[in-house]
């Protein structure tokens, strides 16, 4: 299995929002380092997500053969926000990493909570904002889950394993119905068709808004995407959502809100990060990783090696 060479994370952020697991690229070769960033914020301005090992409910690695292992024990309370692994020859195939936090209790101002509901398109019959006093405090219990797909080795039908199809047990589980890297690659302006099923506590999340962030990439060596779009979709009655998308890196998120009282709410967020057939963010290529992130990674790795040599 993959060797988990380094995992460094810090104290938990209490902000309500999605977390994305961002790999430095989506196709690796045996012997390369795999670095997975924990990121939060907006698509154009994300930052390190800060977490403690004790606040993680699970960090699940699903190998190409479908065998899963909880790798929480690899996390430490150190000073960065990424997980470092080593790709081994026997690891050829698709890998899935699934991260779920413990429930996080946050107290926030009512006005700020209403603003959050409106930004996330969560104002509906289940979220009557008229009942929220903007001057009172709201207690929000928030649980985050996030998933990332990456591949090791050659990309062909024999190695594109189907472990990505299996449910993970995360509170919100977004499951591709086709392998993102198996989509037929075309010109930069062509579109792929891909569908996902969204589960909430194991059942289809029907007729629910889904947010899709698409970062369009024309070539592997570009520093920035040609364009970033934030798109709104809605699942059908069986929890499926159907996308027609240009070659891109996809960050798909879903948020479920439940109310216990006017002053107590529960928020579940789930996300998945994957890519159509485009290689991006290669940490071994200076031109592909955003400069600020690359410099931070190099500093963190250098400091780790200094302390442990």
């Amino acid at each position: 299995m993959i060797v988990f060479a380094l995992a460094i994370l810090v104290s938990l952020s209490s902000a309500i929002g999605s977390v994305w697991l961002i790999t430095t690229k989506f196709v690796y070769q045996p012997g390369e380092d795999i670095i997975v960033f924990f990121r939060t914020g907006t698509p154009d301005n994300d930052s390190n997500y800060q977490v403690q090992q004790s606040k993680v409910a699970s960090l699940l690695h699903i190998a190409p053969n479908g065998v899963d292992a909880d790798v929480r024990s690899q996390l430490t309370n150190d000073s960065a926000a990424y997980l470092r692994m080593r790709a081994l020859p026997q690891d050829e195939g698709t890998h899935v990493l699934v991260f779920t936090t413990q429930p996080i209790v946050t107290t926030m101002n009512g006005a700020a909570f209403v603003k959050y509901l409106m930004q996330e398109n969560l104002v509906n019959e289940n979220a009557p904002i008229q009942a929220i006093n903007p001057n009172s405090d709201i207690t929000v219990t928030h649980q985050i889950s996030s998933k990332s797909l990456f591949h090791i080795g050659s990309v062909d039908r024999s190695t594109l394993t189907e472990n990505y199809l299996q449910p993970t047990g995360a509170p919100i589980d977004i499951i591709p119905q086709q392998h993102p890297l198996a989509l037929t690659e075309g010109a930069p302006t062509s579109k792929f068709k891909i569908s996902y099923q969204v589960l909430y506590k194991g059942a289809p999340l029907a007729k629910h808004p889904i947010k899709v962030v698409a970062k369009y990439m024309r070539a592997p060596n570009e520093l920035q995407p040609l364009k970033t779009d934030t798109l709104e979709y809605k699942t059908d009655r069986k929890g499926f959502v159907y996308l027609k998308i240009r070659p891109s890196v996809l960050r798909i998120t879903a948020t479920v809100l439940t109310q216990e009282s006017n002053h107590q709410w529960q928020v579940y967020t789930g996300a998945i990060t994957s890519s159509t057939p485009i290689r991006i963010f290669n940490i071994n290529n200076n031109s592909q990783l955003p400069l600020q992130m690359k410099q931070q990674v190099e500093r963190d790795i250098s400091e780790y090696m200094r302390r442990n040599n």
Side-chain angles (χ1 to χ4, degrees):
M1 65 179 293
I2 287 178
V3 174
F4 288 80
L6 171 66
I8 313 176
L9 299 170
V10 294
S11 63
L12 182 66
S13 166
S14 60
I16 298 177
S18 299
V19 172
W20 299 287
L21 304 184
I22 308 295
T23 50
T24 49
K25 57 182 180 178
F26 291 93
V27 179
Y28 294 89
Q29 297 307 315
E32 290 187 304
D33 283 342
I34 301 165
I35 298 181
V36 185
F37 291 93
F38 293 71
R39 306 288 288 179
T40 190
T42 65
D44 295 317
N45 187 27
D46 55 12
S47 59
N48 287 343
Y49 179 74
Q50 299 180 334
V51 66
Q52 293 175 339
Q53 181 179 351
S54 62
K55 302 297 184 180
V56 178
S58 67
L59 181 57
L60 195 67
H61 169 244
I62 304 175
N65 61 4
V67 175
D68 58 63
D70 195 327
V71 295
R72 275 179 298 175
S73 61
Q74 304 296 328
L75 301 179
T76 68
N77 294 325
D78 213 320
S79 58
Y82 59 88
L83 179 68
R84 187 182 185 189
M85 304 173 281
R86 175 63 58 87
L88 300 179
Q90 62 266 36
D91 295 325
E92 187 171 52
T94 299
H95 295 253
V96 182
L97 198 63
V98 188
F99 166 73
T100 304
T101 67
Q102 300 283 2
I104 306 160
V105 179
T106 303
T107 300
M108 61 192 309
N109 178 266
F113 186 59
V114 169
K115 182 178 179 181
Y116 163 76
L117 296 180
M118 297 179 69
Q119 287 175 340
E120 296 298 318
N121 194 25
L122 294 174
V123 178
N124 52 40
E125 63 275 8
N126 296 320
I129 60 175
Q130 297 85 353
I132 301 174
N133 184 342
N135 299 314
S136 66
D137 287 337
I138 303 294
T139 299
V140 182
T141 302
H142 184 212
Q143 190 167 19
I144 300 167
S145 54
S146 189
K147 178 193 295 185
S148 182
L149 274 61
F150 62 90
H151 191 82
I152 295 176
S154 60
V155 178
D156 56 53
R157 291 189 180 275
S158 65
T159 64
L160 291 174
T161 48
E162 296 186 346
N163 52 331
Y164 67 92
L165 288 168
Q166 65 190 65
T168 66
I172 295 182
D173 199 0
I174 304 174
I175 305 173
Q177 299 303 293
Q178 303 83 29
H179 198 302
L181 289 172
L183 302 175
T184 303
E185 189 170 11
T189 55
S190 67
K191 291 186 177 182
F192 298 122
K193 293 181 180 179
I194 186 169
S195 59
Y196 295 79
Q197 187 178 35
V198 185
L199 303 180
Y200 171 56
K201 296 186 176 180
L205 185 60
K207 303 292 184 179
H208 197 82
I210 303 297
K211 183 178 292 186
V212 177
V213 175
K215 290 180 175 286
Y216 303 119
M217 300 293 183
R218 184 173 57 188
N221 295 331
E222 289 187 348
L223 180 62
Q224 297 292 339
L226 290 172
K227 184 181 180 183
T228 298
D229 276 347
T230 300
L231 310 169
E232 300 285 346
Y233 289 83
K234 183 172 283 191
T235 58
D236 65 14
R237 61 186 179 86
K238 294 184 178 180
F240 289 99
V241 61
Y242 301 89
L243 310 183
K244 190 174 182 181
I245 207 81
R246 291 186 177 90
S248 56
V249 173
L250 297 174
R251 299 183 186 183
I252 300 174
T253 60
T255 302
V256 173
L257 178 74
T258 62
Q259 182 183 13
E260 296 180 357
S261 71
N262 288 344
H263 301 284
Q264 292 183 310
W265 298 74
Q266 290 183 326
V267 178
Y268 298 90
T269 59
I272 183 172
T273 305
S274 61
S275 177
T276 63
I278 302 171
R279 293 176 56 206
I280 66 161
F281 292 170
N282 184 348
I283 197 170
N284 298 316
N285 185 320
N286 290 342
S287 66
Q288 290 180 322
L289 193 67
L291 181 60
Q292 183 178 6
M293 188 183 294
K294 181 177 189 300
Q295 290 174 338
Q296 182 62 53
V297 170
E298 290 174 342
R299 286 194 297 268
D300 290 340
I301 293 175
S302 295
E303 176 61 18
Y304 176 83
M305 297 302 293
R306 183 189 67 77
R307 292 201 314 266
N308 290 277
N309 286 336

